Amino acid sequence: MIKKYLLLWLLGAATTGLQAQTDTEITVHDERHNADEVIDLPEGMTLSTDSLLKEWNAQHYLYPDTTCENPDFNPSFPEETFRDRLARMPAIMEMPYNEIVQKFIDQYSGRLRRSVSYMLGAGNFYIPIFEEALDLYGLPLELKYLPVIESALDPTATSRAGAVGLWQFMLSTAKRYDLEVNSLVDERRDPIKSSYAAAKYLSDLYKIYNDWNLVIAAYNCGPGNVNKAIHRANGAKDYWAIYPYLPKETRGYVPAFIAANYIMNYYCEHNICPMRTKLPVSTDTIMVDRDIHIEQIAAYCGIDREAIKALNPQYRTDVIPGKSAPRILRLPQENLLAFIDNQDSICNYRTDELLTRRATVAVDEATALSNNNTTSTGKGRSAKANSKRNKTSKRSKTATVKKGDTLSEIAARNHTTVSNLRRLNGIKGDRIKPGQKLKVK
């Protein structure tokens, strides 16, 4: 029945404006220059509801509220109402009203109302994590809505520029804040680790600007662009004063943030119904110090591989690379107990098939030597040419010095003498170094 309602809800969404979900800009009127201005939308406002609902948590724990009345009717209000509501929000950060903010409120309450419904439901998973991280650094809790405009609360979101995760970290910033990113691990996708990294980054930005609007502008476009805008505005350190000198998307970033705070607080007034949330199962973590394939865990722990991947989004492949460093594995509590009880069996299950990365390889030197000595006239090689090549090969035979090797040991291995090695290689004493190639014949 839930799936039926979800299908009907999506069909309804398709007829109420989602066909315009690819819009990436809005137009506002610049009264100073009596001209229209085009502002880019943050990428989090361009994601389709369909893609958001494919996220694993959404598919398993969210479903539409079928008791909601008038979900497609968005009432209109006078400017004074919006201004009053913004003023009454319990926030440290400044939440002023203007035409640009109104345009973004209209986006969230109109075209993006289905996305807001999803985010209100998904917020039950992620907002408590955001609040804990922000509270640890003593930051305003209204910053918990920054990922609303960054990623629309999609933990798998990737921007056109390569920013990843709920908080949309670029690679360089992620590494600066101790998020591991390599071919196997991307902690930008980890909701917990990325949230604490984001809180630390926001805290550092506030130490620079001492103004929260400038902080979130710098979070979006980088401190360099904000500093240039301040310079062009003759040193003014006010977002609305440097607004004309910011990149197009950042001009809409602070208004979008204000609008996100508004809609996440006043969604009822706009007949937006949060998706209902089923309580996720309790999870716990364990550290693993061996490479483990997700299929190995699924086979012994009675849990679907997609659930494992969703609970451990930081791993970019199906392998948890515990051998390189101890890694966190998150599982539902009952499945975690099964993992603890069967860990050795899990690590030995189909190992040769699933963990195919070789630590060492053997080289068939005998066959290689045989092939070198084989006469192949069909390929235009004469016996005489092969003989000449073999003689050259014999004359130029070399050996690579290993750690701890001495000239006498190398001479014994290669059926020659120390004096011969010295003569062939111009060595006067006994000094050699690992990796050095020595002629032995």
Side-chain angles (χ1 to χ4, degrees):
M1 184 62 71
I2 289 176
K3 288 185 177 179
K4 178 180 177 182
Y5 283 133
L6 181 57
L7 178 61
L8 292 173
W9 186 79
L10 285 172
L11 290 173
T15 61
T16 54
L18 276 184
Q19 64 274 14
Q21 198 84 38
T22 56
D23 290 350
T24 60
E25 56 190 29
I26 62 172
T27 302
V28 296
H29 188 70
D30 183 353
E31 293 183 356
R32 292 173 303 173
H33 302 94
N34 192 28
D36 289 339
E37 178 191 11
V38 176
I39 300 175
D40 289 346
L41 295 181
E43 283 194 50
M45 297 183 71
T46 66
L47 299 176
S48 72
T49 309
D50 284 353
S51 67
L52 295 173
L53 289 171
K54 290 177 182 176
E55 199 271 317
W56 189 85
N57 275 327
Q59 291 185 333
H60 288 79
Y61 298 119
L62 295 181
Y63 59 98
D65 181 358
T66 58
T67 66
C68 188
E69 296 183 5
N70 298 322
D72 297 319
F73 174 65
N74 180 24
S76 59
F77 302 98
E79 286 185 11
E80 292 75 15
T81 300
F82 293 104
R83 190 177 290 109
D84 179 64
R85 288 173 180 170
L86 287 169
R88 287 190 286 109
M89 287 197 303
I92 292 175
M93 298 175 65
E94 186 179 58
M95 300 281 177
Y97 174 85
N98 57 34
E99 180 198 0
I100 306 172
V101 172
Q102 181 67 64
K103 288 277 188 176
F104 279 95
I105 292 175
D106 292 343
Q107 289 278 318
Y108 276 127
S109 61
R111 181 177 67 85
L112 296 173
R113 60 192 294 110
R114 304 298 180 185
S115 296
V116 173
S117 180
Y118 158 82
M119 289 188 287
L120 288 164
N124 291 308
F125 311 135
Y126 303 118
I127 296 297
I129 299 173
F130 303 160
E131 290 178 330
E132 285 185 8
L134 294 168
D135 186 59
L136 178 68
Y137 286 93
L139 306 183
L141 293 186
E142 49 267 32
L143 287 166
K144 64 190 176 186
Y145 296 129
L146 205 55
V148 166
I149 58 174
E150 284 286 348
S151 63
L153 298 190
D154 177 4
T156 66
T158 301
S159 76
R160 294 185 298 272
V164 172
L166 289 163
W167 292 89
Q168 290 289 280
F169 270 104
M170 295 295 290
L171 180 61
S172 58
T173 310
K175 293 200 168 187
R176 196 160 67 245
Y177 285 87
D178 297 324
L179 293 177
E180 184 178 2
V181 182
N182 55 45
S183 297
L184 299 176
V185 178
D186 190 346
E187 291 183 338
R188 294 176 294 178
R189 298 181 185 275
D190 185 321
I192 297 173
K193 286 193 174 183
S194 66
S195 294
Y196 282 88
K200 178 65 168 65
Y201 183 32
L202 290 165
S203 177
D204 288 346
L205 288 173
Y206 188 73
K207 292 173 186 175
I208 297 172
Y209 295 108
N210 201 37
D211 179 281
W212 285 113
N213 284 336
L214 294 181
V215 165
I216 60 176
Y219 189 93
N220 174 251
C221 67
N225 283 318
V226 171
N227 292 340
K228 284 187 285 186
I230 291 172
H231 179 75
R232 289 167 181 163
N234 298 318
K237 292 188 177 180
D238 176 79
Y239 173 81
W240 300 104
I242 70 170
Y243 171 90
Y245 307 104
L246 290 168
K248 285 177 65 177
E249 182 178 324
T250 310
R251 289 180 210 166
Y253 196 74
V254 169
F257 174 74
I258 296 170
N261 272 267
Y262 171 89
I263 206 66
M264 298 298 276
N265 281 277
Y266 294 108
Y267 56 89
C268 279
E269 284 75 2
H270 291 271
N271 293 326
I272 298 176
C273 302
M275 293 190 75
R276 292 187 176 273
T277 309
K278 291 184 290 185
L279 187 64
V281 294
S282 297
T283 63
D284 204 347
T285 61
I286 189 172
M287 301 299 292
V288 296
D289 57 7
R290 288 182 278 185
D291 290 354
I292 299 178
H293 197 284
I294 285 175
E295 290 286 358
Q296 294 176 303
I297 301 169
Y300 274 84
C301 297
I303 180 172
D304 182 80
R305 65 186 303 276
E306 291 303 318
I308 301 172
K309 290 179 72 69
L311 291 170
N312 300 274
Q314 66 271 37
Y315 301 120
R316 305 177 80 162
T317 71
D318 286 345
V319 176
I320 299 173
K323 186 180 291 186
S324 61
R327 305 288 181 184
I328 289 175
L329 170 64
R330 181 177 294 277
L331 292 173
Q333 287 182 345
E334 60 183 58
N335 304 107
L336 189 68
L337 294 176
F339 180 88
I340 293 171
D341 293 340
N342 298 281
Q343 191 163 354
D344 288 337
S345 299
I346 290 169
C347 292
N348 292 325
Y349 174 71
R350 294 170 58 194
T351 301
D352 292 341
E353 177 186 347
L354 296 171
L355 300 175
T356 58
R357 183 178 176 183
R358 297 174 294 179
T360 60
V361 293
V363 179
D364 190 346
E365 294 182 351
T367 302
L369 183 60
S370 175
N371 288 339
N372 285 339
N373 292 331
T374 300
T375 301
S376 178
T377 55
K379 293 183 179 180
R381 228 181 340 159
S382 67
K384 183 177 180 180
N386 278 335
S387 175
K388 184 177 180 181
R389 179 179 175 185
N390 289 338
K391 288 179 181 178
T392 303
S393 176
K394 288 179 182 178
R395 284 200 304 269
S396 61
K397 186 176 179 182
T398 62
T400 302
V401 179
K402 299 177 182 177
K403 187 176 182 180
D405 271 351
T406 63
L407 284 175
S408 59
E409 289 173 337
I410 296 171
R413 283 203 303 266
N414 291 277
H415 310 292
T416 186
T417 64
V418 171
S419 60
N420 194 39
L421 289 178
R422 288 194 179 113
R423 180 180 60 80
L424 290 172
N425 296 279
I427 299 173
K428 293 184 179 180
D430 294 317
R431 190 171 181 179
I432 54 176
K433 59 184 179 181
Q436 182 179 353
K437 290 188 180 297
L438 298 178
K439 294 178 182 178
V440 295
K441 286 185 181 179

